[in-house]
Amino acid sequence: MTYHPLVSTDWLADHLNAPDVVVVNAWMPPVTTPDAKPVYPDSHIPGAVFFDVNEICDKNSDLPHMLPAPHVFSSAMRKLGIGDGQTIVVYDDFGFYSAARVWWTFRTFGVENVHVLDGGMPKWTAEDRPVDDNPVRRPERHFTARLNNSAVANLAAVKALSNAPGAQLLDARSAARFAGDAAEPRAGLRSGHMPNAKNLPFTDLISEAGTFKTREELKPIYEAAGVDLSKPITTTCGSGVTAAILTLGLTVLEARDLSLYDGSWSEWGARDDTEVVTGPA
C-alpha cells in the first residue's frame, strides 16, 4: 500500500473519534516572531495533545531544537499518551511550519503511520470544524523509538556533500537568504549558502489556498530546482524545521533516499571552518 504523508480535513473529521488516532498540535514560534504564542490553550482540535518543538529536543545542544535522544523522545511521547501502533496526525497553527518537523521526527524515530494535516489549523477553522479549549490528558502508553540514523545528516556529512560533484543539498530558505542578499534572522550567522547547494523555498510548495500542492504540481517544481528524485537528497534550512517541508514534498513524490541536516544554517553559518557562498544557485 502506498504511504500518503498528508491527510485532508475531511479525513480527520471522519476519524477524529477513532480510538487509534492521535492528533498532535505541533508548536514552534517562527524565528521572525519569537514572541508569538500558541493558540492551543484557547483553541485546538478536540483531543489534540501539544508538542512543543523547543521543549522536546536535545537540551544539551547549543543549537536550536535538535533531535532528542531516543530515550528522551520515548519518555516525552509516553507522557503525551502516544503509543506504538497508533495513527498520528500532526497539524500546526500556521498551516505548514512546524508540523512537518514533528512529522519528520516521528518518522525518524521509526513511526510509519504518521501524517500531516493538509492546511493545518487555518483550513480546519475556515471550514467551521469543531475546536476545544479543554486541557487534554491521555493515559500514558508505551512508545518505542528506533532512530533511523540515515535520515539525519550531521556537519561532517554535509561538508562532504558540499564538495561532492552530483550530491544534492536542497535549501528551503528564501532566495534572498540563500543568495546572501538578506540578513539571517538569527544573530551571529553569516549570509549565503553551502557550496553545491540548490535552493527551493518551502513556500513554493504551498498553494494559494494554503494547502500542499498536488503531486502533479510538485514534480516540476523540484525538477526546476535541479533535483533528481531518483538520487539521494539532503534537505536543509535555517534550523531544520522548514527543511522538513521539502522532505514532506519529496515523500509525496515517493523519493526514497532522504536525509535532513538537523543543524542546518544555525550550525553551518555560525562556524569559522565552513565555506559560505553567495549569489544564486
Side-chain angles (χ1 to χ4, degrees):
M1 181 180 294
T2 301
Y3 168 67
H4 298 286
L6 294 161
V7 296
S8 68
T9 50
D10 285 341
W11 185 95
L12 182 57
D14 289 343
H15 294 81
L16 195 57
N17 296 317
D20 64 335
V21 172
V22 182
V23 183
V24 177
N25 185 174
W27 168 252
M28 197 194 87
V31 66
T32 52
T33 53
D35 296 328
K37 303 298 182 185
V39 303
Y40 182 88
D42 300 316
S43 181
H44 54 261
I45 294 176
V49 294
F50 185 70
F51 187 123
D52 189 333
V53 175
N54 285 330
E55 290 298 321
I56 304 174
C57 64
D58 182 0
K59 293 297 187 69
N60 296 317
S61 175
D62 294 332
L63 297 170
H65 43 255
M66 293 285 283
L67 202 68
H71 73 277
V72 173
F73 190 72
S74 289
S75 176
M77 294 308 99
R78 185 173 63 249
K79 291 174 182 176
L80 287 179
I82 299 174
D84 296 339
Q86 294 177 316
T87 297
I88 301 168
V89 178
V90 189
Y91 76 93
D92 68 47
D93 296 350
F94 307 103
F96 287 99
Y97 185 55
S98 54
R101 168 71 188 199
V102 172
W103 162 84
W104 173 80
T105 300
F106 276 114
R107 294 278 288 176
T108 299
F109 281 119
V111 178
E112 295 183 357
N113 208 5
V114 57
H115 312 269
V116 173
L117 180 64
D118 198 4
M121 192 62 162
K123 190 172 192 294
W124 185 266
T125 54
E127 295 169 347
D128 292 324
R129 299 191 186 272
V131 295
D132 202 349
D133 61 358
N134 293 320
V136 176
R137 291 191 62 85
R138 298 175 57 90
E140 289 194 8
R141 291 186 51 138
H142 177 74
F143 184 94
T144 305
R146 299 183 180 89
L147 178 61
N148 176 10
N149 288 291
S150 67
V152 189
N154 60 20
L155 178 66
V158 176
K159 278 187 173 182
L161 291 171
S162 72
N163 290 296
Q168 299 192 105
L169 276 170
L170 190 59
D171 193 323
R173 293 177 301 154
S174 69
R177 287 173 64 188
F178 181 88
D181 295 333
E184 285 296 306
R186 290 181 175 83
L189 300 183
R190 293 171 291 167
S191 297
H193 59 268
M194 304 155 193
N196 208 27
K198 300 174 173 65
N199 185 215
L200 177 52
F202 77 92
T203 51
D204 289 359
L205 309 186
I206 312 303
S207 73
E208 291 184 4
T211 53
F212 223 67
K213 289 183 178 177
T214 66
R215 179 187 176 92
E216 292 73 24
E217 292 170 320
L218 289 172
K219 192 170 187 291
I221 292 171
Y222 280 95
E223 289 175 345
V227 176
D228 185 338
L229 297 170
S230 68
K231 296 180 179 179
I233 304 163
T234 298
T235 59
T236 181
C237 60
S239 65
V241 175
T242 59
I245 300 177
L246 297 187
T247 303
L248 180 65
L250 290 163
T251 305
V252 170
L253 293 171
E254 299 183 46
R256 299 296 182 190
D257 197 344
L258 306 176
S259 60
L260 184 150
Y261 176 24
D262 202 10
S264 283
W265 201 254
S266 294
E267 180 173 40
W268 191 278
R271 300 177 65 94
D272 57 11
D273 62 346
T274 51
E275 184 181 353
V276 172
V277 180
T278 57

